Amino acid sequence: MSKVLIAEDNPVNRELLRELLEARGYVVVEACDGEEALRAIEETQPDILLLDLGMPVLDGFATVRRIRENPALAPLPVLAVTAYAMQGDRERIVAAGFDGYLSKPINASKLFQEMERLLARRQSAKAGN
Ligand code: MN
């Protein structure tokens, strides 16, 4: 089963995501800020990352930049989780290196649809298709 890393500083949001994802059968790893997320990627090798934009220490934009700059981490699919989905934000998020974004409050079916799209793409990339 796929492993998902949740990087989110708000414990209530983190718990909500964990419950949704575990109920769907995902293995969940958690991080509370961007630095922790970078460590957790190396230590736990997740298949996908859900990355909150507003976090202490290292925010989501800085974290995705570090991921894309590191060849060992760069292929990881990363979805932004954002409270501010305003006009123009989608462009900014995609330009920053995210593969997509989800607006809070999180809609479960949209979450799974986006994750499964990216995980399928990653599988076929691994298979060399
Ligand atoms: Mn936050």
Side-chain angles (χ1 to χ4, degrees):
M1 189 31 86
S2 297
K3 188 187 291 178
V4 51
L5 173 60
I6 302 169
E8 158 71 75
D9 61 317
N10 181 307
V12 175
N13 292 343
R14 220 166 46 235
E15 181 63 24
L16 179 72
L17 278 171
R18 171 187 277 279
E19 283 173 8
L20 282 173
L21 293 166
E22 285 182 344
R24 185 79 167 184
Y26 286 99
V27 174
V28 174
V29 179
E30 297 181 11
C32 302
D33 62 53
E35 288 285 0
E36 261 190 44
L38 291 168
R39 265 199 310 278
I41 294 167
E42 307 217 40
E43 286 167 8
T44 69
Q45 305 281 315
D47 298 296
I48 188 165
L49 168 61
L50 300 183
L51 186 55
D52 180 30
L53 291 183
M55 288 188 299
V57 186
L58 201 62
D59 72 10
F61 284 107
T63 305
V64 78
R65 194 177 314 125
R66 297 262 292 269
I67 291 167
R68 297 308 182 217
E69 284 169 0
N70 181 337
L73 308 184
L76 180 68
V78 184
L79 277 172
V81 179
T82 175
Y84 17 79
M86 318 252 295
Q87 196 80 25
D89 279 0
R90 188 180 166 79
E91 289 71 21
R92 184 170 168 235
I93 288 166
V94 171
F98 289 96
D99 297 292
Y101 77 93
L102 298 157
S103 304
K104 295 177 190 177
I106 294 297
N107 172 294
S109 59
K110 186 127 188 279
L111 168 70
F112 299 140
Q113 185 187 322
E114 276 294 279
M115 288 181 61
E116 281 147 31
R117 175 179 72 85
L118 294 174
L119 287 166
R121 197 173 76 185
R122 181 174 165 87
Q123 275 313 110
S124 60
K126 272 185 178 169
N129 296 324

